[in-house]
Amino acid sequence: MALRVKHIVIMGHARCGGIRAFADASAPLSPGDFIGRWMSLIAPAAERLGEPDGDLTAYLPRLERASIENSLTNLMTFPCIRTLVERGQLHLHGAYFSIATGGLFVRDPQTGEFKPAVADMSTARPSMIRAIKA
């Protein structure tokens, strides 16, 4: 609030090890298991998706994006954030980065769908294309 932030972006990414560990119900990575406790915050998102069909290939990307939605929902539980969003003074955004393709997907606040940030790479600025390929 002191910084008068106008936008908060919750960004997730493909092939997230934490999401995978959560889905696999893996053993803790360390005695304190900070990451396991942190990833437990996505349990409501996983419950909404239901159990994976046994094949995590399709499930994991859905869980990665659902965790972004879950984080946005969690942010709205903070009274100061809710008030600023309702006043139009703060905007929350969701984004998803595909590591394999370099694609950036932005969450449509109306539909909840993740759509490409750049619909047609042929119209992107050359500097943007270089940054995506790097």
Side-chain angles (χ1 to χ4, degrees):
M1 288 184 69
L3 296 175
R4 298 193 192 324
V5 170
K6 301 223 184 283
H7 299 272
I8 295 176
V9 178
I10 301 296
M11 180 179 278
H13 63 88
R15 300 181 182 173
C16 178
I19 298 283
R20 176 71 187 230
F22 178 89
D24 285 342
S26 298
L29 298 175
S30 65
D33 192 29
F34 168 78
I35 292 175
R37 287 193 315 270
W38 181 40
M39 295 312 296
S40 71
L41 294 172
I42 67 167
E47 288 171 17
R48 282 191 294 279
L49 286 180
E51 293 294 319
D53 300 344
D55 178 20
L56 294 179
T57 305
Y59 178 76
L60 289 174
R62 289 192 350 255
L63 183 57
E64 290 161 351
R65 290 186 297 272
S67 71
I68 297 165
E69 183 74 36
N70 191 66
S71 293
L72 291 166
T73 300
N74 286 345
L75 276 175
M76 290 297 285
T77 67
F78 290 88
C80 61
I81 289 179
R82 177 174 291 285
T83 298
L84 291 173
V85 168
E86 289 171 352
R87 290 180 184 166
Q89 295 173 302
L90 175 65
H91 304 280
L92 305 181
H93 309 277
Y96 179 78
F97 180 68
S98 173
I99 293 171
T101 66
L104 177 64
F105 300 84
V106 178
R107 182 184 167 275
D108 181 319
Q110 305 303 331
T111 66
E113 290 181 68
F114 285 83
K115 299 178 180 180
V118 176
D120 181 0
M121 288 302 291
S122 67
T123 63
R125 293 190 324 262
S127 61
M128 181 186 293
I129 293 171
R130 281 193 300 277
I132 290 171
K133 288 182 179 178

